[in-house]
């Protein structure tokens, strides 16, 4: 066990030193190092670890860690009043209000407020909380029914009493976990969910849920609904969760390995054996119920002490049936359901670490893209400088070529006069020369070859689209590259802020979760011990009463009395069942 604790990366008792490959130094690009933490989104540095029952009624009974003086609504005031407020699901009713077909609505009581919500609304609440708080561990809700359940129970699957009772307990645990969370308890969406006078459809179509972006990776980690977020977020890449990191952070690698090990323990043998154990206890209870009924019936055929002893034995078996049924129910509620919930928690933590991994990959990809753009700009500027030097060199050589005298013919006069006139006509525009277009529009000319008109028109259009001035194209490319670099620098700064915020917030919530897990597992073990102790105690009392009644049955009437001179030999083992048959 000590070795197991040493591998625990969530342990807060030992100060961890970041590895050399950690992003702790490289992320610090400029100040401020991270976005300001909203007051409602700050994790409390110290959490109470007082003993509390787990889960269901009486769960999470610990003092509120974050007292408030300003409240957004009545439900917020009730949750942060400093008193131990327990959110209860008091009933599950079948209704068709607001729907075309009937459904099961769960009655939620928070103080004096009563709200009705169906399972799908719990599901939408959790889904939107995950989007609003991508760096927080959002508690799970009970799993949906499988296809096998619908195949076996068909139309009655949604009305299964055992399933409804299990959902009531686990949904109540979900709500109480939200109410005890130092950040989620301040969310107004959660408060409106508990308010029975607010339509949940209206909540889903109003801020902040209506402001959620399609891709939370391209939104601020501290507030994905921020409408004043920098447009540089759009320049961030959208990496895959499977994309490898060049320089991963060791503490999160350890957290991921620990979570995988934790999940393999829970969702593997522990959860399977627990289900099998509960099933066998239930079958054993049913067998005792049948045996008790048979013994009680058998006692009616006998008389005297034997009848009373058989009846008392039947009552002891009935007591075993009752105590075993209670034991199976308590194991289901206080052991099997928490095991399943923590199996879901492990999957949630994996997704949380995957989000932080994508943010880290996003930072590295943006950094690589920025470095590539800077290299590209350097090459373009080098080409621009070389072109300017070449232009200057050509400019210095132009006067010598222009000063040469024209060639004379045999008569001492200049050559062809029309050519001189043409040169004179072109000379005014020689200083600002613009390359001519490839030629007149071939569509206006008669094609020399049949069927070539369209091809010539297409060629003309393509030549028109091509920039025939390489100097202008080069300068435009330099300008666009500089703009891209400026945008990528802003994006890299934002990515660095998000990465630091995600890392610190996720680590803080992992530490909080570890403290919660230790307290919950402790209560689970105590509950299991108490259940078995109570089962043994009740069975012992019932069977002791049966033994006293059995002792009243007289010895066998044909048994020979012991002689006074001989010490009676103590009875060893069972009486010979053939004594009556053989007449002894």
């Amino acid at each position: 066990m000590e070795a197991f604790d040493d591998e625990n990366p969530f342990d807060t008792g030992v100060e961890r030193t970041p590895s050399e490959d950690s992003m702790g130094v490289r992320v610090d690009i400029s100040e401020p190092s991270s976005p300001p933490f909203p007051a409602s989104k700050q994790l409390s540095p110290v959490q109470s670890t007082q003993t509390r029952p787990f889960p269901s009624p009486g769960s999470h009974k610990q003092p509120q860690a974050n007292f408030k003086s300003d409240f957004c609504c009545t439900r917020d005031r009730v949750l942060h009043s400093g008193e131990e407020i327990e959110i209860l699901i008091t009933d599950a009713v079948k209704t068709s209000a607001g729907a075309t077909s009937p459904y099961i609505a769960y009655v939620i009581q928070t103080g004096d407020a009563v709200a009705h919500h169906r399972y799908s609304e719990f599901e939408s609440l959790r889904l939107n909380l995950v989007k609003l708080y991508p760096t927080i561990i959002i508690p799970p809700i009970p799993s949906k029914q499988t296809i096998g359940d619908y195949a076996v129970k068909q139309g009655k699957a949604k009305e299964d009493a055992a399933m409804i009772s299990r959902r009531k307990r686990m949904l109540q645990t979900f709500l109480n976990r939200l109410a005890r969370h130092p950040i989620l308890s301040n969310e107004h969406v959660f408060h409106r969910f508990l308010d029975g006078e607010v339509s949940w459809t209206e909540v889903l179509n109003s801020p902040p849920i209506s402001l959620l972006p399609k891709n939370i990776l391209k939104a601020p980690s501290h507030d994905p609904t921020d409408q004043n977020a920098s447009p540089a977020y759009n320049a961030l890449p959208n990496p895959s969760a499977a994309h490898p990191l060049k320089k991963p952070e060791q503490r999160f690698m350890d957290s991921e390995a620990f979570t995988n090990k934790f999940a393999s323990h829970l969702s593997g043998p522990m959860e399977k054996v627990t289900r099998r154990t509960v099933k066998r206890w239930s079958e054993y209870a049913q067998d005792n119920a049948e045996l008790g009924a048979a013994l009680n019936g058998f006692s009616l055929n006998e008389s005297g002490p034997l009848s009373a002893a058989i009846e008392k034995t039947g009552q002891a078996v009935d007591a075993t049936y009752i105590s075993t049924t209670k034991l199976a129910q308590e194991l289901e509620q206080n052991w099997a359901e928490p095991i399943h919930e923590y199996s879901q928690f492990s999957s949630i933590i994996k997704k949380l670490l995957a989000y932080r991994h994508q943010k880290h990959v996003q930072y590295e990809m943006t950094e690589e893209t920025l470095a590539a753009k800077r290299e590209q700009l350097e090459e373009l500027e080098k080409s621009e400088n070389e072109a300017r030097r070449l232009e200057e060199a050509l400019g210095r050589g132009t006067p010598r070529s222009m000063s040469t005298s024209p060639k004379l013919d045999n008569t001492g006069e200049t050559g062809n006069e029309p050519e001189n006139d043409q040169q004179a006509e072109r000379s005014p525009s020689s200083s600002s020369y613009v390359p001519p277009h490839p030629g007149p529009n071939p569509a206006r000319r008669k094609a020399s070859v049949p069927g070539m008109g369209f091809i010539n028109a297409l060629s003309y259009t393509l030549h028109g689209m091509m920039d025939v001035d390489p100097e202008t194209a080069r300068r435009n490319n330099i300008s666009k590259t500089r703009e891209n670099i400026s945008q990528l620098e802003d994006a890299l700064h934002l990515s660095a802020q998000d990465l630091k915020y995600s890392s610190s917030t996720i680590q803080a919530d992992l530490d909080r979760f570890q403290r919660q897990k230790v307290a919950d597992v402790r209560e689970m073990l105590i509950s299991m011990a108490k259940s078995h102790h109570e089962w043994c105690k009740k069975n012992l009392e019932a069977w002791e009463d049966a033994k006293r009644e059995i002792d009243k049955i007289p010895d066998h009437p044909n048994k020979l009395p012991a002689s006074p001179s001989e010490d009676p030999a103590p009875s060893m083992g069972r009486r010979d069942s053939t004594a009556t048959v053989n007449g002894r």
Side-chain angles (χ1 to χ4, degrees):
M1 190 65 183
E2 293 179 357
F4 181 79
D5 290 336
D6 290 340
E7 296 176 4
N8 184 359
F10 303 150
D11 187 10
T12 57
V14 181
E15 296 183 358
R16 291 182 299 272
T17 303
S19 62
E20 295 180 358
D21 296 337
S22 171
M23 293 296 298
V25 178
R26 300 180 67 251
V27 175
D28 190 10
I29 294 179
S30 60
E31 297 295 336
S33 59
S34 61
F37 282 42
S40 62
K41 296 191 176 184
Q42 291 185 357
L43 284 173
S44 176
V46 179
Q47 297 288 334
S48 173
T49 57
Q50 291 184 357
T51 301
R52 62 184 185 278
F54 177 92
S56 205
S59 64
H60 321 292
K61 287 187 178 179
Q62 56 181 353
Q64 293 289 341
N66 47 346
F67 292 98
K68 296 174 61 176
S69 58
D70 54 333
F71 307 99
C72 63
C73 61
T74 306
R75 300 281 73 76
D76 189 21
R77 183 184 298 274
V78 170
L79 293 177
H80 296 89
S81 62
E83 301 178 358
E84 294 183 357
I85 300 298
E86 186 75 16
I87 301 176
L88 302 175
I89 296 184
T90 58
D91 198 5
V93 295
K94 186 176 181 180
T95 180
S96 58
T100 56
S101 59
Y103 60 89
I104 301 298
Y106 298 91
V107 182
I108 307 169
Q109 183 175 354
T110 310
D112 57 352
V114 177
H116 296 73
H117 289 289
R118 58 193 301 178
Y119 175 82
S120 59
E121 293 174 344
F122 281 90
E123 189 177 24
S124 64
L125 169 64
R126 188 189 179 280
L127 178 63
N128 285 289
L129 288 178
V130 169
K131 294 179 181 179
L132 289 170
Y133 298 91
T135 61
I136 297 296
I137 302 173
I138 308 298
I141 60 174
S143 304
K144 290 183 177 180
Q145 286 188 306
T146 62
I147 298 178
D149 294 333
Y150 282 101
V152 173
K153 302 173 185 176
Q154 298 182 358
K156 299 295 182 180
K158 294 183 178 180
E159 302 177 13
D160 181 38
M163 181 271 295
I164 293 174
S165 298
R166 181 171 60 255
R167 280 188 174 179
K168 282 176 58 179
R169 294 188 297 269
M170 298 191 72
L171 290 175
Q172 177 174 303
T173 300
F174 165 71
L175 294 177
N176 281 288
R177 288 199 187 280
L178 294 180
R180 266 56 178 194
H181 197 281
I183 292 178
L184 301 177
S185 61
N186 299 295
E187 177 53 53
H188 189 52
V189 172
F190 174 53
H191 303 156
R192 300 181 75 184
F193 185 84
L194 300 176
D195 194 340
E197 299 179 359
V198 178
S199 169
W200 183 243
T201 304
E202 178 185 347
V203 176
L204 294 178
N205 295 320
S206 59
I209 294 179
S210 61
L211 301 178
L212 283 170
K214 294 182 179 179
N215 188 353
I216 60 174
L217 287 175
K218 293 191 175 184
S221 296
H222 66 285
D223 187 5
T225 60
D226 186 6
Q227 297 301 294
N228 298 321
S230 172
Y233 274 106
N234 296 324
L236 292 174
N238 187 22
S240 168
H243 195 287
L245 281 171
K246 292 186 175 180
K247 294 184 177 181
E249 195 166 354
Q250 187 61 41
R251 58 172 173 163
F252 288 103
M253 292 177 62
D254 295 340
S255 297
E256 185 176 357
F258 181 83
T259 303
N260 291 334
K261 186 187 298 183
F262 179 68
S264 64
H265 281 300
L266 291 182
S267 59
M270 189 176 296
E271 194 170 8
K272 292 179 181 178
V273 172
T274 298
R275 287 197 301 265
R276 191 164 64 243
T277 302
V278 173
K279 179 182 178 182
R280 289 180 176 175
W281 276 116
S282 301
E283 293 174 349
Y284 176 67
Q286 187 61 35
D287 292 341
N288 277 274
E290 297 176 4
L291 178 59
L295 287 172
N296 291 330
F298 178 50
S299 67
L300 299 177
N301 296 329
E302 300 294 334
S303 60
L306 179 60
S307 175
I310 295 175
E311 183 181 5
K312 204 65 176 180
T313 303
Q315 292 175 0
V317 173
D318 289 339
T320 302
Y321 155 69
I322 296 173
S323 61
T324 304
T325 301
K326 183 180 179 182
L327 174 64
Q329 291 174 350
E330 291 178 349
L331 288 178
E332 173 73 21
Q333 298 176 18
N334 300 329
W335 182 261
E337 289 175 7
I339 289 284
H340 178 68
E341 184 190 23
Y342 270 94
S343 177
Q344 292 176 295
F345 265 123
S346 62
S347 300
I348 293 170
I349 294 176
K350 287 181 182 179
K351 293 179 181 178
L352 202 68
L353 294 175
Y355 171 81
R356 191 252 165 218
H357 176 89
Q358 287 176 291
K359 278 294 182 181
H360 197 162
V361 172
Q362 200 175 53
Y363 174 82
E364 289 188 349
M365 293 177 67
T366 305
E367 194 176 38
E368 291 176 0
T369 305
L370 179 59
K373 285 292 182 181
R374 284 172 175 168
E375 291 180 1
Q376 180 182 356
L377 178 62
E378 186 178 352
E379 293 294 330
L380 290 173
E381 289 177 343
K382 186 183 297 184
S383 300
E384 176 68 15
N385 293 333
E386 292 178 356
R388 287 181 179 178
R389 287 196 298 268
L390 181 59
E391 184 179 356
E392 291 175 358
L394 292 175
R396 287 193 298 269
T398 300
R400 291 195 296 270
S401 62
M402 294 294 292
S403 62
T404 57
S405 60
K407 294 182 179 179
L408 300 177
D409 57 8
N410 295 332
T411 61
E413 296 177 355
T414 59
N416 192 359
E417 290 181 3
E419 292 179 3
N420 293 337
D421 293 339
Q422 293 176 2
Q423 292 177 1
E425 292 175 359
R426 290 195 301 266
S427 61
S429 60
S430 61
S431 60
S432 58
Y433 173 74
V434 178
H437 196 271
N441 189 347
R444 299 178 180 176
R445 296 182 301 172
K446 184 177 180 180
S448 58
V449 181
M452 295 297 293
F454 174 74
I455 298 177
N456 291 334
L458 181 62
S459 176
Y460 168 84
T461 303
L462 292 176
H463 280 289
M465 293 172 61
M466 295 174 61
D467 194 343
V468 295
D469 187 359
E471 181 180 355
T472 303
R474 186 171 58 251
R475 290 177 179 176
N476 289 340
N477 200 2
I478 290 176
S479 177
K480 291 180 181 179
T481 304
R482 285 175 176 169
E483 291 178 2
N484 290 337
I485 289 176
S486 176
Q487 189 178 30
L488 285 172
E489 287 176 345
D490 293 340
L492 184 64
H493 176 71
L494 295 174
S495 179
Q497 288 183 335
D498 281 354
L499 181 56
K500 292 190 70 174
Y501 177 86
S502 301
S503 299
S504 60
T505 309
I506 289 174
Q507 186 62 58
D509 210 37
L510 285 176
D511 293 339
R512 181 201 61 80
F513 171 78
Q514 173 64 11
R515 294 189 293 269
Q516 167 196 301
K517 185 192 74 175
V518 170
D520 286 346
V521 172
R522 178 180 181 273
E523 295 304 320
M524 289 164 59
L525 296 173
I526 292 176
S527 176
M528 175 180 278
K530 286 182 176 179
S531 297
H532 281 85
H533 179 268
E534 189 68 19
W535 179 81
C536 294
K537 180 180 178 181
K538 290 184 177 180
N539 287 336
L540 181 61
E541 292 175 355
W543 285 103
E544 283 180 345
D545 291 343
K547 182 178 180 299
R548 284 192 293 268
E549 196 67 32
I550 294 171
D551 289 338
K552 295 178 182 179
I553 300 176
D555 289 339
H556 197 283
N558 296 334
K559 182 178 179 182
L560 296 175
S563 59
S565 60
E566 297 179 359
D567 294 334
S571 176
M572 299 298 292
R574 298 175 57 187
R575 291 188 298 175
D576 188 0
S577 60
T578 62
T580 304
V581 177
N582 298 330
R584 298 195 304 271

